[in-house]
Amino acid sequence: QVVLVESGGRLVQPGSSLRLSCEASEGTFTDYAVAWLRRPEGKEVEFLAAITKDGQNTGYSDFVKGRFTISRDNAKNTAYLQMNTLQSDDTAVYYCAADVYYGISLQYAYWGQGTQVTVSS
């Protein structure tokens, strides 16, 4: 089974950009679709974006479409989430997740430990 480790989360100012990384190990990365999700403090987990195994198709939640971009580099076993024009509402723990099935949902079997993104002046 795949193991996922997120990185890149930190404190940024409103309006900033940030790129998160999700490195996969213990498995064949190309066997899995990848998603990014987040949990704002005190709130439920939110789906953000997903990408198919071959990287050819992506899907986004409406509230991040046009601001966030998901991508993957299968040669590096790594997925990314590029986030632009960050606002305080984007403050959350960000998770990457993987599953053999691609979907616009929270139903991903394998999750990383999360990385904190804080947007504040």
Side-chain angles (χ1 to χ4, degrees):
Q1 96 185 27
V2 66
V3 175
L4 305 169
V5 178
E6 303 94 336
S7 62
R10 60 183 178 91
L11 171 65
V12 296
Q13 292 189 340
S16 298
S17 296
L18 191 64
R19 188 177 80 161
L20 304 181
S21 298
C22 171
E23 185 171 359
S25 61
E26 305 296 328
T28 303
F29 189 52
T30 51
D31 286 347
Y32 301 95
V34 174
W36 284 95
L37 311 99
R38 71 184 182 190
R39 184 192 294 273
E41 187 173 353
K43 297 183 179 180
E44 299 294 317
V45 173
E46 301 172 333
F47 171 86
L48 300 176
I51 189 166
T52 52
K53 300 173 186 180
D54 61 3
Q56 293 301 303
N57 291 292
T58 59
Y60 296 90
S61 288
D62 287 343
F63 60 87
V64 301
K65 199 173 294 183
R67 282 199 308 134
F68 291 8
T69 302
I70 189 171
S71 62
R72 65 190 293 164
D73 184 340
N74 285 340
K76 296 182 178 179
N77 292 340
T78 303
Y80 305 96
L81 185 68
Q82 176 67 42
M83 305 185 292
N84 298 327
T85 320
L86 286 163
Q87 301 300 323
S88 58
D89 288 351
D90 295 315
T91 296
V93 178
Y94 284 70
Y95 300 91
C96 69
D99 199 286
V100 295
Y101 299 107
Y102 167 82
I104 309 299
S105 76
L106 302 179
Q107 301 303 315
Y108 281 73
Y110 307 106
W111 291 57
Q113 84 289 347
T115 186
Q116 176 72 45
V117 174
T118 302
V119 185
S120 175
S121 55

